[in-house]
Amino acid sequence: MSHKTLTEKIFESHINREPRIGEVVVVDVDFAMGQDGTSPLAIQKFYDMGGKKVLRPDRIALVIDHGAPSPTEGFANLHKLMRDFSYEQGIRLFDIGSGVCHQLIPESGFAGPYDIVVGADSHTCTYGAVGAFSTGIGSSELAAVMISGKLWFKIPPAIRVILSGKIPSGVYSKDIVLYLAKTLTADGATYKALEFDGDVIDQLSMDARFTVSNMAVEVGAKAGIFPVDEKTKVWLREHGRDNMCDLSIDPLANYESTVEIDVSKLEPQIALPHRVDNVMSISEIGDIPIQEGYIGTCTNGRLEDMEIATSILDGKKIHPRVRLIVACASKSIYLEAMKKGLIEKLVEAGATVIPPGCGPCVGTHAGVPSDGENVISTANRNFKGRMGNNKAFIYLSSPATVAASCLTGKITDPRRFL
Amino acid sequence: MILHGFAHKLGDDINTDYIISGKYKFNTLDMKELARHIFEDIEPNFIDKIKPGDIIVAGRNFGCGSSREQAPLVIKNAGLSAVVASSFARIFYRNAINNGLPLVECDTSRIQDGDELEIDLENGVVRDLTGGFEMGINPLPPFMMKLLQDGGLVEHFKKYGGFSIG
Ligand code: SF4
């Protein structure tokens, strides 16, 4: 059988024979990552399992991003455990201020085409944007990879997602992926891989593709993989990778199903509380006042996102009853945004810029909403309690919609400001 | 392995944030302490309502959301013996098996809150003793059954020094 899904092609390159969908294989993992919510338990499990030395320290990175800088004593002690372990084992540690794991791993050249990458964080699927099969695992599994360099996988069937048409002005990759979440629902792709195809891909920057792959797990998918094109290769070269092979969709491959989305008529989309697939077009939702806006996270904390938000906020002031929090996804994005004058403009407009990291996204610190408040955020999850208060309401959108909403104090169509 | 306990019924799409909120899980590795806050955001004082051996019964997509392994660990440490759901999210599924928490996939619509249940994992049957009916369950793939029988991934690694297949 010569027609293969991207997933099959990637697994084939690791097992050196024809893969069968549904079979369980144990493969060498190219890179593994843990963050500060999952690594401390992985370190404990590493020793429980009898681990002494990490097999391939050059293939592991730990990231302190979920509570960075440490908000509590508990966090601080777990961070120390990670710092000590990294130092002893000679593995790369991204300490506070470095950024969010899912930006740092691809940005550092640790993920690329045909790689199998795992991370003890569900949004590890983000690196599908650069043609990797990357997926979230648990802490015990991270420990198993540290000891053996390997992990077991059940080779998943794939869904071909064809994105076609021309992306309208004011509509972004976040709107496309929110619409996809609505179409597939929160468990529509459980145990499966999403593979993206269609002429929209050419219109998406690498930053925009990361946003789409990032949210694959929100429909239950194991991975969300883009083909590798010239744009991918240029980006990867800029980020320290040079051994690149082509990876393209074969329409004759055995796709379990195909979903086609014509984006030409798409409006900005909003996910309403408390479900990521509870999505509506902006023209349908009516007046919803907001008290907090958040631009950042591994979904939309990249340079392009900062540029889009700044283009709307530049020279204006946010609504007096609104707080806007901004966090770049990594230190290098933060520096770039400073050099370009974006940070200055955002602060002038009334934004509070916090260090690169997760913070408000996961409710650990720096932006917990109060009871009954509405937040509009560029994150990927709006579960009840997600931002640290189960009596608050989280709406998800593109950075443009967050910026526009912060100006008016209610959820607002960004096309008004373009 | 036959499990016996009372059903605590929850809905569809129970995510790992609901199982244990991020605001607690990052602060400690003490699972007993974390277990006190199990399901707190959706049902306050849930921990006071359960007895050892009780069974979580849920709808579709149980365990969706983050990859936190604390989720199955907290369920185990709260004294719950298994989760029965119509379907599971994949990372939770792996994490549960890796920690020796039995998961049972079957149609849960007829099971009522408080029903007395018996789960026979070997023979693949769930019996609702209160409702007076039984259901066959989807079997685990052999490799996962082995992990579960070994008591999870840690025990599996201790026994074999690595993965015993492949
Ligand atoms: S930014 Fe949010 S979703 Fe992304 S890794 Fe951090 S906590 Fe998770």
Side-chain angles (χ1 to χ4, degrees):
Chain A
M1 186 191 71
S2 55
H3 302 291
K4 296 188 183 73
T5 64
L6 302 180
T7 301
E8 289 174 284
K9 290 179 191 182
I10 297 170
F11 275 98
E12 182 174 38
S13 74
H14 283 70
I15 60 176
N16 301 316
R17 61 167 173 82
E18 294 253 320
R20 272 178 294 112
I21 289 170
E23 71 171 317
V24 173
V25 291
V26 174
V27 300
D28 281 322
V29 165
D30 296 290
F31 203 85
M33 179 279 296
Q35 36 90 340
D36 49 340
T38 53
S39 302
L41 186 56
I43 295 168
Q44 194 185 69
K45 297 273 187 183
F46 175 84
Y47 292 119
D48 285 352
M49 285 175 174
K52 288 188 179 63
K53 273 310 280 176
V54 170
L55 186 73
R56 296 285 308 264
D58 55 325
R59 293 189 177 194
I60 310 282
L62 301 185
V63 183
I64 295 182
D65 58 357
H66 278 54
S70 56
T72 60
E73 189 185 325
F75 245 123
N77 289 327
L78 296 177
H79 287 169
K80 178 175 169 8
L81 182 67
M82 288 173 71
R83 291 187 183 111
D84 291 350
F85 184 78
S86 307
Y87 181 75
E88 282 159 27
Q89 296 287 342
I91 60 186
R92 176 82 179 258
L93 176 79
F94 290 96
D95 212 319
I96 63 164
S98 304
V100 182
C101 51
H102 303 310
Q103 176 59 22
L104 294 168
I105 296 303
E107 193 183 272
S108 309
F110 296 150
Y114 289 92
D115 284 355
I116 293 180
V117 182
V118 294
D121 187 280
S122 60
H123 293 103
T124 303
C125 53
T126 308
Y127 331 144
V130 291
F133 183 92
S134 63
T135 196
I137 58 168
S139 299
S140 295
E141 299 188 294
L142 176 58
V145 175
M146 291 197 285
I147 292 171
S148 69
K150 296 180 195 297
L151 196 60
W152 65 274
F153 295 89
K154 193 169 161 196
I155 300 178
I159 301 176
R160 183 175 169 213
V161 180
I162 305 175
L163 305 172
S164 59
K166 187 173 177 311
I167 306 175
S169 158
V171 172
Y172 303 91
S173 64
K174 181 61 163 289
D175 300 301
I176 297 173
V177 76
L178 286 174
Y179 187 78
L180 180 67
K182 174 185 180 165
T183 309
L184 287 172
T185 76
D187 64 349
T190 300
Y191 307 125
K192 293 166 195 156
L194 301 181
E195 300 190 358
F196 299 102
D197 196 6
D199 51 12
V200 166
I201 294 182
D202 287 344
Q203 301 162 56
L204 297 177
S205 66
M206 288 311 294
D207 282 5
R209 294 180 197 180
F210 281 117
T211 304
V212 175
S213 291
N214 177 265
M215 291 196 64
V217 69
E218 302 311 326
V219 292
K222 200 161 175 172
I225 313 174
F226 275 85
V228 172
D229 60 13
E230 274 317 305
K231 219 183 259 181
T232 326
K233 292 181 184 171
V234 170
W235 191 92
L236 284 163
R237 242 173 254 124
E238 285 168 8
H239 294 89
R241 299 277 297 213
D242 41 22
N243 52 338
M244 254 113 35
C245 315
D246 283 316
L247 183 62
S248 51
I249 295 265
D250 181 344
L252 296 176
N254 184 17
Y255 283 100
E256 191 188 78
S257 59
T258 299
V259 180
E260 193 155 3
I261 292 178
D262 180 0
V263 304
S264 308
K265 298 225 162 51
L266 203 63
E267 286 185 36
Q269 303 288 304
I270 308 282
L272 283 73
H274 300 286
R275 294 180 57 104
V276 183
D277 60 358
N278 184 14
V279 173
M280 281 181 160
S281 293
I282 193 129
S283 61
E284 300 169 331
I285 67 162
D287 265 8
I288 298 177
I290 54 130
Q291 290 78 34
E292 182 171 312
Y294 178 38
I295 298 171
T297 78
C298 57
T299 320
N300 283 116
R302 298 187 176 80
L303 193 65
E304 181 177 281
D305 303 313
M306 299 301 148
E307 282 168 340
I308 291 166
T310 308
S311 71
I312 290 173
L313 292 164
D314 190 9
K316 305 189 185 70
K317 293 273 183 259
I318 61 169
H319 191 276
R321 301 294 302 271
V322 170
R323 315 175 295 273
L324 171 59
I325 298 165
V326 174
C328 295
S330 75
K331 185 198 264 180
S332 65
I333 294 170
Y334 193 22
L335 286 168
E336 200 59 31
M338 270 188 221
K339 281 187 207 135
K340 292 194 157 191
L342 307 177
I343 298 295
E344 191 179 333
K345 286 175 180 162
L346 289 168
V347 173
E348 286 282 0
T352 300
V353 178
I354 61 169
C358 302
C361 175
V362 66
T364 46
H365 63 150
V368 178
S370 65
D371 294 359
E373 281 191 332
N374 292 334
V375 181
I376 186 158
S377 161
T378 65
N380 43 35
R381 287 198 176 129
N382 59 348
F383 303 154
K384 199 173 171 188
R386 174 75 185 179
M387 294 182 75
N389 184 340
N390 61 15
K391 293 176 216 70
F393 300 86
I394 308 169
Y395 295 79
L396 305 177
S397 76
S398 74
T401 305
V402 173
S405 305
C406 287
L407 289 176
T408 62
K410 57 184 186 195
I411 295 182
T412 298
D413 191 332
R415 293 174 297 185
R416 264 182 59 186
F417 294 94
L418 297 176
Chain B
M1 190 165 18
I2 296 195
L3 306 167
H4 183 263
F6 293 89
H8 288 270
K9 197 136 188 213
L10 301 168
D12 290 335
D13 300 302
I14 299 297
N15 62 62
T16 55
D17 278 84
Y18 292 168
I19 299 171
I20 180 67
S21 170
K23 70 179 174 228
Y24 299 119
K25 78 130 178 174
F26 297 120
N27 268 321
T28 178
L29 287 177
D30 180 349
M31 297 301 149
K32 283 268 176 261
E33 165 60 28
L34 287 180
R36 291 178 43 217
H37 302 288
I38 187 169
F39 295 120
E40 192 180 270
D41 275 349
I42 50 170
E43 213 178 310
N45 308 319
F46 187 89
I47 188 69
D48 300 330
K49 301 174 190 164
I50 53 178
K51 287 186 298 305
D54 281 1
I55 294 165
I56 297 292
V57 176
R60 286 167 46 193
N61 205 22
F62 185 89
C64 61
S66 88
S67 65
R68 61 193 68 164
E69 193 162 317
Q70 285 88 340
L73 282 172
V74 159
I75 293 176
K76 264 187 96 169
N77 278 279
L80 295 158
S81 65
V83 183
V84 182
S86 314
S87 69
F88 291 93
R90 63 158 285 279
I91 307 179
F92 178 84
Y93 195 88
R94 292 180 73 113
N95 282 340
I97 302 298
N98 285 333
N99 283 287
L101 173 70
L103 299 184
V104 174
E105 210 170 70
C106 70
D107 175 13
T108 55
S109 56
R110 291 168 68 199
I111 304 173
Q112 303 293 318
D113 191 47
D115 280 4
E116 191 177 356
L117 303 180
E118 200 174 82
I119 303 172
D120 181 343
L121 283 173
E122 256 88 271
N123 295 307
V125 187
V126 173
R127 289 185 200 95
D128 188 318
L129 303 176
T130 313
F133 59 90
E134 63 176 50
M135 287 176 291
I137 55 185
N138 306 338
L140 280 180
F143 178 63
M144 289 183 176
M145 194 66 201
K146 187 168 171 55
L147 279 180
L148 195 60
Q149 280 163 349
D150 286 342
L153 191 59
V154 169
E155 298 306 318
H156 182 86
F157 258 60
K158 275 198 202 155
K159 196 159 151 192
Y160 300 100
F163 288 106
S164 77
I165 64 156

